[in-house]
Amino acid sequence: MTQKIVVLGAGFGGLELTTMLSEALGDRIEVTLIDRNDHFVFGFSKLDVMFGRQPPEAVRIPYRHIAKKGVTFRQETVTTIDPVARSVTTSGGAYEADVLVVALGADYDVEATPGLAEGGNEYYSVAGAERLREVIPKFSSGNAIVGVTSTPFKCPPAPSEAALLLHDFLSARGVRDACEISLVMPFGAPVPPSPETSKGLLTAFRERGINWVPNRLVRAIDPERKVAILDDDSEMPFDLFLGIPKHRVPDVVAESGLTEDGWVPVNSLTLETKFPGVYAVGDVTSVGTAKAGVFSEGAARVVAAEIIAGIEHGDQPAGYDGRGFCYIEFGAGRVGSVEVQFLSGQAPTGTFYGASLELAAEKKEFEAKRRASWFGL
Ligand SMILES: Cc1cc2nc3c(=O)[nH]c(=O)nc-3n(C[C@H](O)[C@H](O)[C@H](O)COP(=O)(O)OP(=O)(O)OC[C@H]3O[C@@H](n4cnc5c(N)ncnc54)[C@H](O)[C@@H]3O)c2cc1C
């Protein structure tokens, strides 16, 4: 009998998983890939959109390009997940699975930070980044804050990237001297697992006059007084606030019985949840890696290899190692990178590759490779 595999979410995890399954098994399996959107956007493209480096339409990659043997894409919203029965309902119907993979990512809870919606901005959603295209060019003097409101949050280097790219944007417009940029983060260092990366970023902040505010979260925004209130009750005035909103699992996951302490726990080697035949990969889990596309993709590869081994009666793959790397925009067209290994049983460690034009080209290649393998573009 043909195995039915249902993959919820066509982000980094879902796209990599279905691509691997199709390449290895083709028509020998029936894969249904479900996403509420009609297009994918790379997380890092939001930085390009907010600073006007790319128009929004250029970063949307339509799912209609997916043409893979054995894979059917459905643009539907998942409304219930029953992990015991391995069944789901959506805005378009109902699905039963032999293997169910939850790759629904993290949603945002902007309302969890009082005043953020009324008085600030967030750039973590595509809509938020699009709004900022209009807002940022109007800022030409005063205080800008890039502020994290809660942990965990996606792509830990992204707040540093926003501060550095804002510096470039304001410098290019000749208004940098009239502006202060502050970066509020809940860590003692910008990228805690990699002291070298943190050192590189702190040097870049110092050189550019960016004010680094460590070990603090933004608890609330007072829109009337235009101040950010931090978790030690201190206040910072702002004219432009770029926030990283609170993250949470999508409602449908919260209601499914799959979560504990807000996220989906999984076996860190196999990515299986406590429900047999139900896996979870990526930002929706509490697997112990950073929340970033490269880790979602790495976890998806392990699940794909397990499914393939099961069908072909091959050896089970080695377990997930939580290894990945992230590119970091340093501004002036230069990109650095940090390679981190979580899940080795020890504190995560990272290796830093300094900002260069070569790494900027490598990042473009990273995106192009995925456009080609996931969408055939
Ligand atoms: C500003 C910024 C910069 C970033 N830079 C990087 C970077 O340089 N490198 C990197 O690796 N990562 C980066 N990231 C993080 C990266 O984008 C995410 O970690 C990654 O997308 C997570 O992959 P995922 O597959 O777990 O979830 P996602 O890619 O978020 O996919 C989840 C999918 O589920 C769908 N979905 C959710 N709920 C439902 C529902 N009820 N019904 C149907 N579909 C649903 C969503 O539409 C989405 O397509 C960045 C993120 C941001 C915000």
Side-chain angles (χ1 to χ4, degrees):
M1 273 232 319
T2 314
Q3 275 228 22
K4 284 196 173 110
I5 294 154
V6 176
V7 181
L8 309 180
F12 264 85
L15 288 166
E16 181 68 10
L17 179 72
T18 46
T19 299
M20 272 189 70
L21 291 176
S22 175
E23 280 170 5
L25 301 167
D27 286 338
R28 289 158 58 202
I29 44 163
E30 211 176 282
V31 181
T32 308
L33 174 61
I34 303 173
D35 202 288
R36 62 186 169 196
N37 288 333
D38 67 354
H39 63 269
F40 170 75
V41 174
F42 284 98
F44 48 68
S45 299
K46 293 164 193 167
L47 295 165
D48 294 330
V49 169
M50 72 191 270
F51 290 110
R53 306 196 311 181
Q54 292 244 53
E57 25 333 326
V59 304
R60 293 191 189 111
I61 311 171
Y63 288 127
R64 71 177 136 75
H65 292 298
I66 295 175
K68 296 192 182 301
K69 270 210 174 100
V71 177
T72 307
F73 174 77
R74 300 248 180 247
Q75 189 196 343
E76 293 166 12
T77 298
V78 180
T79 47
T80 64
I81 303 169
D82 180 342
V84 178
R86 288 195 296 271
S87 63
V88 299
T89 58
T90 70
S91 51
Y95 300 86
E96 307 274 330
D98 297 306
V99 177
L100 179 62
V101 186
V102 181
L104 290 168
D107 271 355
Y108 306 122
D109 187 357
V110 176
E111 299 300 326
T113 307
L116 177 58
E118 300 83 358
N121 308 275
E122 60 81 18
Y123 65 95
Y124 262 50
S125 69
V126 178
E130 282 191 39
R131 277 192 294 274
L132 278 165
R133 288 169 77 76
E134 312 298 324
V135 173
I136 295 175
K138 292 185 187 132
F139 172 70
S140 47
S141 66
N143 298 309
I145 299 177
V146 179
V148 177
T149 63
S150 165
T151 59
F153 62 94
K154 291 181 197 180
C155 192
S160 302
E161 293 180 293
L164 291 165
L165 294 178
L166 181 61
H167 166 87
D168 269 19
F169 188 88
L170 298 173
S171 303
R173 287 178 48 231
V175 297
R176 177 67 181 97
D177 287 348
C179 305
E180 289 283 332
I181 302 175
S182 299
L183 172 57
V184 180
M185 283 190 66
F187 312 137
V191 179
S194 171
E196 283 304 306
T197 309
S198 294
K199 206 168 123 195
L201 282 167
L202 289 172
T203 303
F205 299 158
R206 229 180 356 262
E207 287 168 356
R208 291 159 178 79
I210 294 170
N211 176 28
W212 159 246
V213 184
N215 297 315
R216 293 271 73 91
L217 284 168
V218 174
R219 182 169 61 71
I221 297 289
D222 184 333
E224 301 216 326
R225 291 193 297 129
K226 294 207 117 191
V227 292
I229 302 159
L230 309 193
D231 55 354
D232 62 353
D233 290 332
S234 62
E235 296 189 346
M236 292 177 70
F238 70 85
D239 301 283
L240 173 69
F241 185 83
L242 306 179
I244 290 83
K246 181 178 166 41
H247 290 34
R248 61 169 170 81
V249 294
D251 287 338
V252 66
V253 178
E255 290 154 10
S256 68
L258 279 161
T259 60
E260 271 169 36
D261 296 329
W263 303 96
V264 181
V266 288
N267 177 317
S268 62
L269 289 177
T270 64
L271 289 316
E272 195 167 20
T273 67
K274 62 185 175 199
F275 299 95
V278 181
Y279 295 81
V281 296
D283 289 355
V284 77
T285 72
S286 52
V287 69
T289 64
K291 294 198 183 300
V294 283
F295 295 108
S296 306
E297 193 184 272
R301 285 189 192 135
V302 172
V303 175
E306 284 166 26
I307 295 172
I308 295 162
I311 289 173
E312 298 203 315
H313 306 292
D315 292 337
Q316 280 297 313
Y320 181 47
D321 60 4
R323 190 188 286 270
F325 64 93
C326 267
Y327 294 110
I328 307 174
E329 296 278 346
F330 270 73
R334 287 167 197 272
V335 170
S337 140
V338 55
E339 201 176 301
V340 187
Q341 171 150 30
F342 295 88
L343 310 183
S344 63
Q346 296 175 352
T349 49
T351 308
F352 177 53
Y353 302 92
S356 67
L357 295 175
E358 287 73 29
L359 279 174
E362 197 185 293
K363 182 179 173 185
K364 285 210 164 68
E365 178 79 357
F366 171 94
E367 178 179 345
K369 269 194 183 149
R370 281 151 188 81
R371 277 181 181 256
S373 76
W374 296 343
F375 297 98
L377 294 172

